[in-house]
């Protein structure tokens, strides 16, 4: 068993101002995406975007991920709590962000930005998708520091006892997700995007990869206590929300390569 590295959730405290690690991780993810995306267009022979457009796109996406993530959490995972306390939407430092809600928010943001610039939706989506795992990696580390979203009891050597989760060693499911949804998916998408895939293929690979990785980790991650398992004693809300991602990912990949060969 490993010892959980208890870290103060507050990274910086100046008087009444408190900067939480969870929120800081979102800033780090967005900043890293902005830096790497700008570097890509500056070193591309035929860039689809200018550096200024990258800045605007990342700004749009940041708004989409925060607004969509928080609203998605309230609607998908804690609707009764939201009805009881609507102000919870604004207390982001407490945790509680839904990736699937954030994805919907980003899709809307990308559509709005692409429409304003006269750029096709999948040109925007394919450009941004390889950088999304950076934010996922940072966000899952934020979950780990917060000591939330822990896994099922485990006797594996790397199991940990999490604060507020009793004295039982558990799967560090946040780190599993950081590794798979973050690092592994980042490597896959970066490699895939450099092989000149057809339009829609990178977006499809992202949806498929994330959906499969998240669905798998949900088997060892405990569901939100207010929801529990939804069916069969193992099916979670996260898995239900991943099924459309897997399906659409396969459809986009098939459509992309069918159109290329036609």
């Amino acid at each position: 068993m490993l010892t959980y590295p208890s870290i103060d959730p507050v990274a910086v405290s100046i008087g009444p101002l408190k900067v939480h690690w969870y929120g800081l991780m979102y800033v780090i993810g967005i900043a890293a995406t902005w830096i790497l995306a700008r570097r890509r267009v500056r070193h591309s022979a035929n860039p689809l975007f200018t550096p200024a457009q990258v800045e605007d796109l990342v700004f749009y996406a940041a708004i989409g991920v925060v607004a969509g993530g928080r609203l998605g959490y309230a609607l998908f995972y804690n609707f009764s709590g939201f009805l009881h306390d609507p102000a919870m939407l604004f207390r982001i430092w407490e945790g509680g962000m839904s990736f699937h809600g954030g994805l919907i928010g980003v899709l809307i943001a990308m559509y709005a930005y692409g429409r304003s610039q006269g750029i096709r939706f999948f040109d925007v989506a394919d450009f941004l998708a390889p950088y999304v795992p950076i934010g996922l990696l940072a966000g899952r580390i934020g979950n780990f520091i917060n000591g939330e979203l822990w896994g099922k009891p485990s006797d594996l050597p790397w199991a940990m006892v999490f604060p507020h989760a009793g004295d039982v060693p558990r799967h560090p499911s946040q780190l599993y997700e950081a590794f798979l949804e973050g690092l592994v998916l980042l490597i896959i998408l970066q490699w895939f995007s450099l092989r000149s895939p057809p339009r829609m293929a990178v977006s499809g690979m992202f949806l498929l990869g994330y959906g499969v990785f998240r669905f798998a980790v949900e088997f060892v991650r405990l569901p939100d206590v207010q929801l529990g398992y939804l069916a069969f004693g193992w099916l979670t809300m996260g898995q239900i929300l991943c099924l459309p991602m897997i399906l659409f990912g396969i459809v986009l990949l098939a459509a992309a390569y069918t159109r290329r060969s036609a």
Side-chain angles (χ1 to χ4, degrees):
M1 183 181 73
L2 296 179
T3 301
Y4 173 75
S6 183
I7 302 172
D8 188 344
V10 178
V12 180
S13 181
I14 304 175
L17 177 64
K18 295 182 179 180
V19 179
H20 291 246
W21 279 110
Y22 187 77
L24 189 58
M25 286 300 169
Y26 275 83
V27 175
I28 291 172
I30 292 167
T33 297
W34 171 66
I35 292 170
L36 293 176
R38 277 175 57 90
R39 181 180 179 184
R40 174 179 171 184
V41 299
R42 285 178 170 173
H43 291 81
S44 177
N46 298 293
L48 288 173
F49 301 87
T50 66
Q53 286 177 316
V54 168
E55 293 178 1
D56 292 340
L57 174 58
V58 172
F59 177 73
Y60 271 66
I63 294 175
V65 73
V66 173
R70 193 60 178 163
L71 186 58
Y73 173 77
L75 296 179
F76 298 146
Y77 293 96
N78 198 11
F79 188 63
S80 60
F82 168 65
L83 292 179
H84 178 72
D85 180 21
M88 65 170 282
L89 280 177
F90 305 101
R91 296 196 295 271
I92 298 176
W93 58 88
E94 295 179 353
M97 294 283 284
S98 163
F99 164 79
H100 297 92
L103 176 62
I104 294 172
V106 171
L107 291 175
I108 294 172
M110 289 191 302
Y111 174 79
Y113 180 75
R115 186 175 178 84
S116 70
Q117 299 294 311
I119 303 173
R120 288 177 291 192
F121 172 79
F122 280 107
D123 286 335
V124 179
D126 288 345
F127 175 80
L128 195 60
Y131 303 104
V132 174
I134 299 172
L136 295 174
L137 173 60
R140 293 310 181 192
I141 292 175
N143 292 142
F144 182 73
I145 292 174
N146 265 5
E148 61 189 4
L149 305 184
W150 53 74
K152 295 179 179 180
S154 171
D155 59 359
L156 290 171
W158 54 83
M160 298 179 184
V161 175
F162 288 91
H164 314 300
D167 298 326
V168 180
R170 298 178 178 276
H171 286 283
S173 52
Q174 317 95 323
L175 299 185
Y176 298 169
E177 291 186 87
F179 177 69
L180 292 174
E181 302 167 9
L183 182 59
V184 174
L185 189 56
L186 175 65
I187 293 171
I188 291 172
L189 291 177
Q190 292 294 326
W191 169 82
F192 187 67
S193 63
L194 292 175
R195 301 181 69 84
S196 301
R199 183 180 292 110
M200 300 190 298
V202 176
S203 298
M205 183 62 75
F206 169 77
L207 292 174
L208 177 60
Y210 178 88
V212 169
F213 289 149
R214 174 68 181 274
F215 194 96
V217 174
E218 288 283 319
F219 283 110
V220 297
R221 169 180 158 178
L222 283 180
D224 290 65
V225 64
Q226 66 272 17
L227 287 180
Y229 294 108
L230 303 183
F232 315 120
W234 57 266
L235 186 66
T236 67
M237 176 62 78
Q239 288 174 320
I240 289 176
L241 294 174
C242 281
L243 289 176
M245 292 185 66
I246 295 172
L247 176 61
F248 281 120
I250 294 172
V251 169
L252 288 179
L253 282 166
Y257 283 99
T258 298
R259 292 177 60 182
R260 170 182 273 188
S261 62

